[in-house]
Amino acid sequence: MASDDRTRAGAVWAAFAHDPRERAHAGLRASDADRDLVTGVLAAAYADGRLDREEHDQRSETAASARTLGELAPLVVDLVPDTATSSELDARATELWRDRRRNALVGFAAPSLICWAIYVAGNGLTLDGYLWPLIVMAATGAHLLRTLTSGPEIRREERRRLEKQQSKALRKRPWRG
């Protein structure tokens, strides 16, 4: 990994074969490349004065003897700005879709109930005449249907937006200094 790439937190976490911060990957065996990556981050932090010699040596020894990815992440997590993991981004995107789905459902049900209550209050329980509440139901129902059927697209777009936001924040806040 090039020295310039190490200056970006996203590049550090992306350089691992599997993100060691994710619980699902913590038990996976660490490779020599993973251990070398952590050793490089520790060396850069020592050179920057963020680690003293004793702490650098201790962490480097732990990295050299680490067997799993879960043992490596704690060694550098306080040295590299944390970025959201893939599963965290997916969870945020899913939560946005759930919020939109809930809002669309309320946006359908509340106006529909109100309109039918007004209709019944004015006309009684007879369904004679112009059933204008159906227009409100059609308009709000179309939005509800569109929201329900576009879940994957909403999640994908939100994931893309979050990744772009995270990338922009990392460019503004380089790992060094």
Side-chain angles (χ1 to χ4, degrees), residues 148-161:
L148 292 175
T149 59
S150 62
E153 181 182 335
I154 290 171
R155 289 190 299 265
R156 185 174 44 254
E157 289 299 316
E158 178 64 3
R159 168 83 188 246
R160 191 174 300 137
R161 186 190 72 77

Side-chain angles (χ1 to χ4, degrees), residues 39-83:
T39 302
V41 171
L42 295 172
Y46 175 67
D48 289 345
R50 292 183 288 143
L51 292 177
D52 61 25
R53 182 66 172 168
E54 182 180 329
E55 188 171 14
H56 171 266
D57 291 345
Q58 181 183 21
R59 288 186 188 200
S60 293
E61 286 175 23
T62 303
S65 64
R67 291 186 179 177
T68 64
L69 291 176
E71 295 173 68
L72 293 175
L75 300 174
V76 295
V77 77
D78 63 334
L79 302 172
V80 179
D82 196 16
T83 56

Side-chain angles (χ1 to χ4, degrees), residues 2 12 18 53 60 68 74 97 103 108 124 167:
V12 171
H18 301 283
R53 182 66 172 168
S60 293
T68 64
W97 179 67
N103 290 340
F108 170 76
S167 176

Side-chain angles (χ1 to χ4, degrees), residues 14 17 20 26-27 36 45 57-58 65 69 84 92 100 103 110 117-118 120-121 137-138 142 150 154 160 163 171 176:
D36 290 344
D57 291 345
Q58 181 183 21
S65 64
L69 291 176
R92 289 182 195 171
R100 286 188 182 177
N103 290 340
I118 293 170
V120 168
M137 289 182 71
S150 62
I154 290 171
R160 191 174 300 137
E163 287 172 343
R171 281 193 305 272
R176 290 182 185 264

